[in-house]
Amino acid sequence: MFFFDPTYFLVIIGLIISMAASSYVNRTFHHYDSYRSQSNQTGSDAARFILSQSGIQDVGVQAISGDLTDNYNGQTKVLSLSESTANSTSVAAIGVAAHECGHAVQDHVNYWPMRLRTALVPAANLGSTLSLPIIIVGVLLSYNTTLIHIGIFLFSLALLFQLVTLPVEFNASRRALKILSDGQVLTPTEVPMVRKVLVAAALTYVAAALSTFLQLLRLVLLFGGNRDND
């Protein structure tokens, strides 16, 4: 006999949402990557300028391999830009570089949601790694509800991390747009293009949070109720 699990549709919905968001951000980035900025600055040039204008002298800028692998590391004080961003003079590349500079500014001003997200990283990684094995062990041990609930709680830490990530990313984009709006890097007609790129990128974080929530909901529906162990 085959067991049909209707809650698996939650996983499928989460995958569809994540894939749609990823596809949208890639299409949007590559569309505006075809628009050369009038300043002719590369992503790396723009990043160094923005950091200097923000009074940040202790952050390095480096190019890394990959596509849209841009990130800011607060521990090493290094802003890493992917090849598609670092060496490009496109409006999209400058927008992505400015967004990462927004994270550097957050670090510089001690933005507390960013500190909270950093503090949650170990717990979120632990929860993502151990939650399902603990739930499986709980099921195998005659449906041990204590272990199962511990597993569900650990998985919820991953969702908490995703939720805290949202304001951090939104704030970094707002800082980026504010910096770019002064006209020294992009023209007033180019800033709306960047806004579209950053909105598309933000949707990927929303999609990740929704996908994680749907997975947590599935675990609760499958294992969260009390079972009679007799």
Side-chain angles (χ1 to χ4, degrees), residues 143-154:
Y143 209 92
N144 186 299
T145 56
T146 299
L147 285 177
I148 291 173
H149 290 163
I150 289 174
I152 292 175
F153 170 76
L154 288 174

Side-chain angles (χ1 to χ4, degrees), residues 23-101:
S23 176
Y24 180 64
V25 71
N26 277 285
R27 289 200 313 272
T28 304
F29 177 85
H30 290 298
H31 174 72
Y32 290 105
D33 195 41
S34 63
Y35 288 82
R36 303 299 102 184
S37 65
Q38 293 186 31
S39 67
N40 204 38
Q41 293 189 51
T42 65
S44 294
D45 293 336
R48 293 188 181 95
F49 176 79
I50 293 170
L51 292 173
S52 177
Q53 289 294 100
S54 302
I56 301 175
Q57 306 297 329
D58 60 343
V59 172
V61 179
Q62 68 176 10
I64 58 174
S65 60
D67 186 30
L68 295 179
T69 53
D70 314 86
N71 67 89
Y72 169 71
N73 190 318
Q75 294 183 327
T76 60
K77 302 294 183 182
V78 173
L79 195 155
S80 300
L81 300 177
S82 61
E83 294 172 351
S84 59
T85 300
N87 304 317
S88 173
T89 60
S90 74
V91 171
I94 291 176
V96 172
H99 174 85
E100 297 306 328
C101 286

Side-chain angles (χ1 to χ4, degrees), residues 61-217:
V61 179
Q62 68 176 10
I64 58 174
S65 60
D67 186 30
L68 295 179
T69 53
D70 314 86
N71 67 89
Y72 169 71
N73 190 318
Q75 294 183 327
T76 60
K77 302 294 183 182
V78 173
L79 195 155
S80 300
L81 300 177
S82 61
E83 294 172 351
S84 59
T85 300
N87 304 317
S88 173
T89 60
S90 74
V91 171
I94 291 176
V96 172
H99 174 85
E100 297 306 328
C101 286
H103 287 308
V105 174
Q106 289 174 335
D107 188 25
H108 184 67
V109 301
N110 202 31
Y111 182 60
W112 73 264
M114 185 181 191
R115 300 298 182 203
L116 177 59
R117 184 178 72 167
T118 301
L120 285 173
V121 169
N125 289 338
L126 184 67
S128 298
T129 302
L130 296 181
S131 58
L132 292 181
I134 289 176
I135 290 174
I136 291 172
V137 170
V139 171
L140 294 176
L141 293 178
S142 301
Y143 209 92
N144 186 299
T145 56
T146 299
L147 285 177
I148 291 173
H149 290 163
I150 289 174
I152 292 175
F153 170 76
L154 288 174
F155 191 86
S156 69
L157 295 177
L159 176 60
L160 177 61
F161 175 80
Q162 298 282 2
L163 293 176
V164 172
T165 293
L166 294 179
V168 175
E169 296 300 329
F170 294 158
N171 180 264
S173 290
R174 283 196 296 270
R175 292 178 188 272
L177 289 169
K178 183 178 180 181
I179 292 169
L180 294 175
S181 295
D182 65 5
Q184 297 186 69
V185 180
L186 295 179
T187 66
T189 58
E190 292 171 333
V191 173
M193 300 180 191
V194 169
R195 181 177 287 108
K196 292 180 180 180
V197 173
L198 296 182
V199 167
L203 290 178
T204 62
Y205 295 100
V206 175
L210 285 173
S211 179
T212 303
F213 168 75
L214 291 173
Q215 291 180 60
L216 177 61
L217 177 60

